[in-house]
Amino acid sequence: MHSEIFCHIDTRPGSNIARGALVGKRAAVQACISVQGWPTEAGSAALRGFVAVEDATVVERLRDAGASLVGNTRSCELGFGLLGDGAGKAVAGGHVDVALMTDTMGEARAAAASAGVFGFKPSYGQVSRFGLVGLVPSMDCCSILAKRLGDIEDVFTAIRGGDDRDPSLPDPAPPSLSPSAGPGRRPLSAGVVAQCLHGLSSIERAAFEAALSNLERVGIAVREIPFDKYEFFPVVHNVIGSVEASSSCGKFDGVRYGHRAAGSRNWNEMYLRSRAESFGLPLKAYLFQGACFQFEQYAVFEKACRIRSELVGQSRRLHGEVDVVVSPARRAASDFGRANTVGQLYEAFSLTLPANVTGQPVLTLPGLVTCEGGDLGLQLMGAPFGDELLLGIAGRILQELEGTG
Amino acid sequence: MSMDHEAVIGLEIHVQLNCETKMFCRCPSRPGDEPNRNTCPICLWLPGNLPRFNREALEQAILASLALDCEIQKESAFDQKVYYYPDLPKGYQLSQFHMPLAMNGHLNVTDANGARKTIRIRKVHMEEDVARLVHENEGRTPVSLVDFNRAGMPLVEIVTEPDLRNSGDAMEFLRCLIRQIRYSGSSECSMEQGTMRVDANVSIRPAGSDQFNTKVEIKNMNSIRSVGDAIAYEIERQKECLVDGEPIVLHTRLWDPEKRVTSPMRGKFEGPCVPDPSVPRIVIESEYLDEVRTRLPEMPEQKAQRFVKHYGLTYEDAATMCSERSVSEYFEAVADCGVSSRLAAQWIAGQVLPLLKECDETVSTSRLTPDRLAGLLKMLERDEINSSAAKEILGKLRGSDAPLKVIVESGGFRQVSEADQLEAVVDRVLEENPSAVENFRKGASKALGFLMGQAMQATRGKANPRLLKEIMTRKLG
């Protein structure tokens, strides 16, 4: 069981500080997140045997808040997809209280939904990327899985905020979490994107409608909202994501670290063979596609960047009209464990990837959207940097749902 | 050879900025240290690291751009220039392709015929340097070693418009550019020491036409001289291609300093440039720019004009005094001690600089401080020493800390200007050399030189030459 979930378990006794919000909490991080002295292979043959020389900022901050680090959970190659990922299982199986994993197209939220736990992807720029062995720098986000919403809030408070080792964080850092940032008692509204609703099967739709009725039952106004160009989200993510991935995987060239193929006659051959042996099939296809946009179809990439700006603008406007945008986190039919081509991955993550394109915060709630296909997860998406408000709204919804039983 | 063709030349100049640290990390910028000493997880590009842009590099890059009269752009950004090579640790180089730091500058040069020309600067952008490859043999196996000390060193690339027409202009342009940038303090600009690299793009066209033909890029020149030689060779080579009806294709050629020819290296490769998502966009506020601008010193051209007006130098002398910022400051310090400025300029150009060059010193490191030189020149002006003594004292002022007075007195350098002392010397010399006196009186003017030499020797070189000659000619009658 462990070996299926963890690729490294810390056997040294922890010397943790006895103070802090996370004292007594057991945490795991995905193998894409650097822990000094631990193998940080990110699920890729490209990094076989690679040992991190420094803690990621999020790891340092977990420890500073008193959490004890149990181990490294298995990861899909460079966090791309969910094949063999261990974070959801580690939390659901009670091996740890919280798990950190990267979310590039919705992996953390999909893992949480599948495992029936809470999953939170913060706003892009709330959490330092230093020490994340990522794939798509403008979309990768360190996310949190836990069985309790309170643990998500505590971990988020511990790991968030400015870091001079990640210059892409906004300056000055957004305000810190405070109770007053919550919604108070004011009436709340939730929006459902029309195209998202229309894309659901009848089974999914029935499960989702049931969740919406529950929200209305506790006084949340739910309405359908139009979203121009919503159908562009997957292709925009696909083009920009693959271009950035192609660049960020350039460092896995076998020159200084990672895997190098034996017996090459010159360095071109060394590159070709090392990289051929390093990457798995879906990632290879993705990188090849990104290189094609870089070298041959640059105008397509530029167009995708322009559409991305429009989509970000649309999202902003929506959040002026509603407090949260809601959707299921996954399709009933999506089997993340089998998605093994770029096309299958984009199909499986179609409901989660918009938030990676826009950088918005999303919380996935378990147990509210269920059908024969299992827990589909209810996604609540907030405004960029509206993380506190979003967590506050989720807290109020859960309280009121419990109150009405 | 066809005389009716002209060359069109543009230059791409890489200049290494004077910075304490590299461009995206805090490693010391000392590429010459023991290999791979100045490295860290960022410049080795280990997984999980992010580039941290360095303000110092920005400041120096702005100064270099201002020195070339460029317009600093309010917004600029870094792109990833993608290509695979072992000297590039991450598969792309961070460079400003789409949004450069500065644009539309210019530099005025004087060509061989004395005509003034304006050479336009298209853009100046920041980029990081790549690692250095060392090719060796281990036994019979060729190996390539990578030294990451240079990886991430801060550079600016300066791109000119194709405004140059011959190799002489290109060399003069480079000399002016070096002077401007060195003045700003942002770089040493030494091709010999590797802080400046120049690539030239050369094409030819019918004289008077305004078309642009296929250009050839030449690399691997290691001095201004070789830039000139390589361009001159390439122009002739292309003219011959034209005569032979050979098409000129876009490619890169290397200058071979031994054989003094350019030879083809590869097709010209232009990799894609993708905006980098991790380095924040650089926004330059006008207050900050004004603040950096105040750090730009008076530039050589204005300074030379001022030297002409204020110190009464000829333009040539003024230009010589302004060739280096440190020299111009040295000259001013000497002239402001109340020495004749023309004398100061002549001595600095003719004596001080050659002497220091010989001893591998600079005006800022030498013991020959402005006040010591000024003291010496004042004695010369007051006829207390003669110029041959002054040259000797100059060497001693450089070689020791002894005060000028002590050197002059202990060396007995004081000029003999007392007439009666000199009369006695002349009498004795004439008495000892009757045949020379005889020759002189027969009209052999050479004899006067000989007698003067004898008299100078008798005073151990300390006689006031003007007075001595006067007495000598009077006595020879």
Side-chain angles (χ1 to χ4, degrees), chain B residues 296-399:
Chain B
L296 199 68
E298 182 182 29
M299 295 309 272
E301 189 53 35
Q302 302 156 283
K303 201 170 216 172
Q305 301 289 5
R306 183 167 62 83
F307 283 5
V308 170
K309 249 213 302 265
H310 187 263
Y311 293 105
L313 297 183
T314 63
Y315 182 77
E316 285 66 34
D317 280 353
T320 309
M321 285 304 99
C322 293
S323 61
E324 288 269 353
R325 185 171 157 190
S326 57
V327 172
S328 70
E329 285 162 0
Y330 185 80
F331 161 78
E332 246 186 310
V334 174
D336 290 347
C337 290
V339 177
S340 143
S341 36
R342 299 187 93 152
L343 183 72
Q346 277 155 13
W347 269 75
I348 291 170
Q351 304 296 328
V352 176
L353 295 179
L355 173 71
L356 295 184
K357 193 171 172 176
E358 200 179 308
C359 306
D360 211 14
E361 283 182 2
T362 66
V363 286
S364 30
T365 59
S366 172
R367 292 193 185 100
L368 192 48
T369 55
D371 57 311
R372 277 157 75 84
L373 178 65
L376 176 70
L377 296 181
K378 276 184 198 163
M379 290 186 77
L380 187 64
E381 279 179 306
R382 289 198 297 261
D383 267 348
E384 289 167 13
I385 51 177
N386 60 30
S387 65
S388 69
K391 284 172 198 167
E392 215 172 319
I393 298 167
L394 194 71
K396 293 187 187 298
L397 283 172
R398 189 209 65 82

Side-chain angles (χ1 to χ4, degrees), chain B residues 434-448:
Chain B
S435 60
V437 175
E438 183 97 7
N439 287 344
F440 177 78
R441 288 185 178 144
K442 280 184 187 155
S445 56
K446 260 205 313 204
L448 177 62

Side-chain angles (χ1 to χ4, degrees), chain A residues 31-376:
Chain A
C32 304
I33 300 172
S34 308
V35 180
Q36 190 188 343
W38 290 11
T40 304
E41 297 182 346
S44 179
L47 284 170
R48 195 168 293 142
F50 185 79
V51 173
V53 292
E54 289 170 286
D55 278 346
T57 301
V58 292
V59 167
E60 197 176 72
R61 291 181 183 179
L62 277 181
R63 284 204 178 113
D64 286 349
S68 61
L69 234 53
V70 171
N72 249 342
T73 56
R74 293 201 173 280
S75 160
C76 200
E77 188 165 24
L78 298 172
F80 185 54
L82 274 181
L83 204 60
D85 196 274
K89 299 187 192 98
V91 174
H95 302 282
V96 292
D97 303 302
V98 294
L100 297 186
M101 69 181 283
T102 59
D103 185 306
T104 304
M105 56 198 309
E107 293 88 342
R109 288 161 283 152
S114 307
V117 300
F118 289 93
F120 179 53
K121 182 194 93 67
S123 296
Y124 181 86
Q126 278 273 21
V127 179
S128 171
R129 286 186 296 123
F130 176 77
L132 256 58
V133 184
L135 187 67
V136 182
S138 76
M139 302 189 199
D140 291 341
C141 187
C142 182
S143 303
I144 311 161
L145 272 62
K147 274 186 180 165
R148 298 178 48 252
L149 184 59
D151 285 344
I152 295 239
E153 286 170 348
D154 288 345
V155 170
F156 177 56
T157 307
I159 65 174
R160 67 181 294 283
D163 176 21
D164 60 14
R165 292 175 299 180
D166 179 359
S168 64
L169 293 171
D171 190 27
S176 63
L177 209 55
S178 67
S180 62
R185 307 304 317 155
R186 67 179 172 82
L188 295 171
S189 61
V192 179
V193 175
Q195 293 96 320
C196 170
L197 201 59
H198 304 153
L200 299 177
S201 71
S202 56
I203 294 173
E204 292 157 352
R205 196 162 173 156
F208 184 48
E209 300 275 9
L212 294 179
S213 323
N214 268 333
L215 293 181
E216 283 173 319
R217 196 158 49 81
V218 296
I220 293 168
V222 180
R223 55 196 172 94
E224 225 179 88
I225 41 177
F227 194 122
D228 188 31
K229 292 200 172 77
Y230 185 84
E231 62 280 10
F232 280 93
F233 269 114
V235 70
V236 165
H237 188 295
N238 198 340
V239 173
I240 296 175
S242 62
V243 165
E244 288 187 22
S246 174
S247 279
S248 60
C249 288
K251 59 181 167 291
F252 305 123
D253 58 3
V255 171
R256 207 190 158 278
Y257 56 81
H259 173 69
R260 184 191 292 191
S264 304
R265 280 166 310 187
N266 55 49
W267 63 48
N268 278 335
E269 199 175 287
M270 176 189 85
Y271 278 143
L272 292 168
R273 293 179 42 201
S274 302
R275 291 170 64 84
E277 292 168 14
S278 286
F279 302 124
L281 207 52
L283 187 61
K284 239 181 230 176
Y286 200 53
L287 300 184
F288 189 74
Q289 176 192 303
C292 177
F293 290 125
Q294 283 182 338
F295 284 84
E296 305 286 337
Q297 306 270 327
Y298 190 75
V300 175
F301 168 72
E302 284 185 309
K303 191 162 184 182
C305 290
R306 277 198 298 277
I307 300 172
R308 184 184 193 178
S309 303
E310 284 178 48
L311 294 171
V312 169
Q314 286 251 21
S315 276
R316 287 234 158 94
R317 278 195 298 283
L318 279 191
H319 284 283
E321 296 167 28
V322 291
D323 291 303
V324 289
V325 173
V326 291
S327 74
R330 67 181 190 99
R331 311 290 304 268
S334 62
D335 182 355
F336 299 108
R338 274 215 294 266
N340 206 17
T341 67
V342 174
Q344 286 168 353
L345 282 163
Y346 273 88
E347 184 60 36
F349 289 97
S350 60
L351 289 162
T352 46
L353 61 83
N356 298 94
V357 173
T358 61
Q360 290 167 271
V362 188
L363 183 68
T364 309
L365 308 177
L368 294 174
V369 186
T370 50
C371 61
E372 297 136 53
D375 193 338
L376 305 187

